C-alpha cells in the first residue's frame, strides 16, 4: 500500500512562491507516476501537474503552465511542486497522487492519495 504525505502549504501573498513536497512510501518510488491535484471549496478536484516515473515527462494544467514546475527524486522518494507568481485563484487544498502506470491528467486514474495541504494566496 502506497502512502503519501504532503508538506509545505501555507499562506502567501499574491505574486509569492511556495514549494510543496510529497514523501512516498510502501512501493518502489520509481515505479510510480506522480501527480498534483487541487480542490477549492465547492469545486471538484482538478489536475495541476504530473511527472513520469523517470522524471523525463511532465505535464501541466493550462492555468499553471509557466508558473509551476514539478520535479522528483527517486533517491529520496519525493515529488515537489514549485509554485511561483501565485494568484488568489490558486487557493486550494493540494493533493499528491500516485499511480503504477504512465502519467495521466485524470483524477480517477490515480490509485493513491495523500491527505492534502492547504495553500492560501491573499490578494
Amino acid at each position: 500500500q502506497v502512502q503519501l504525505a504532503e508538506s509545505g502549504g501555507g499562506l502567501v501573498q499574491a505574486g509569492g512562491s511556495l514549494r510543496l513536497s510529497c514523501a512516498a512510501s510502501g512501493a518502489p518510488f520509481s515505479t510510480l507516476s506522480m501527480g498534483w491535484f487541487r480542490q477549492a471549496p465547492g469545486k471538484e478536484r482538478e489536475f495541476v501537474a504530473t511527472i513520469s516515473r523517470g522524471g523525463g515527462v511532465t505535464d501541466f494544467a493550462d492555468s499553471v503552465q509557466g508558473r509551476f514546475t514539478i520535479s522528483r527524486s527517486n533517491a529520496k522518494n519525493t515529488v515537489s511542486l514549485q509554485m511561483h507568481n501565485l494568484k488568489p485563484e490558486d487557493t486550494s487544498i493540494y493533493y499528491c497522487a500516485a499511480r503504477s502506470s504512465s502519467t495521466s491528467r485524470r483524477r480517477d486514474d490515480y490509485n493513491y492519495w495523500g491527505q492534502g495541504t492547504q495553500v492560501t494566496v491573499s490578494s
Side-chain angles (χ1 to χ4, degrees), residues 7 18-23 29 34 36 49 51 60 68-73 77-83 96:
S7 61
L18 274 177
R19 185 179 181 88
L20 306 182
S21 293
C22 173
F29 189 63
M34 302 299 297
W36 286 96
I51 188 166
F60 297 90
F68 291 11
T69 59
I70 187 171
S71 60
R72 66 187 293 159
S73 169
N77 293 357
T78 59
V79 60
S80 297
L81 185 70
Q82 179 68 54
M83 306 183 292
C96 175

Side-chain angles (χ1 to χ4, degrees), residues 65-114:
Q65 180 75 48
R67 299 188 296 123
F68 291 11
T69 59
I70 187 171
S71 60
R72 66 187 293 159
S73 169
N74 286 350
K76 297 181 179 179
N77 293 357
T78 59
V79 60
S80 297
L81 185 70
Q82 179 68 54
M83 306 183 292
H84 294 296
N85 190 22
L86 283 160
K87 305 175 181 180
E89 51 265 42
D90 294 318
T91 295
S92 285
I93 299 174
Y94 283 72
Y95 296 90
C96 175
R99 66 190 300 256
S100 301
S101 188
S102 57
T103 57
S104 173
R105 291 186 167 208
R106 296 182 67 246
R107 177 187 62 201
D108 291 345
D109 284 346
Y110 287 81
N111 308 104
Y112 307 104
W113 294 85

Side-chain angles (χ1 to χ4, degrees), residues 12-14 88 121-123:
V12 64
Q13 288 188 331
V121 184
S122 63
S123 57

Side-chain angles (χ1 to χ4, degrees), residues 48-61:
V48 175
T50 184
I51 188 166
S52 61
R53 286 165 284 194
V57 176
T58 59
D59 187 23
F60 297 90

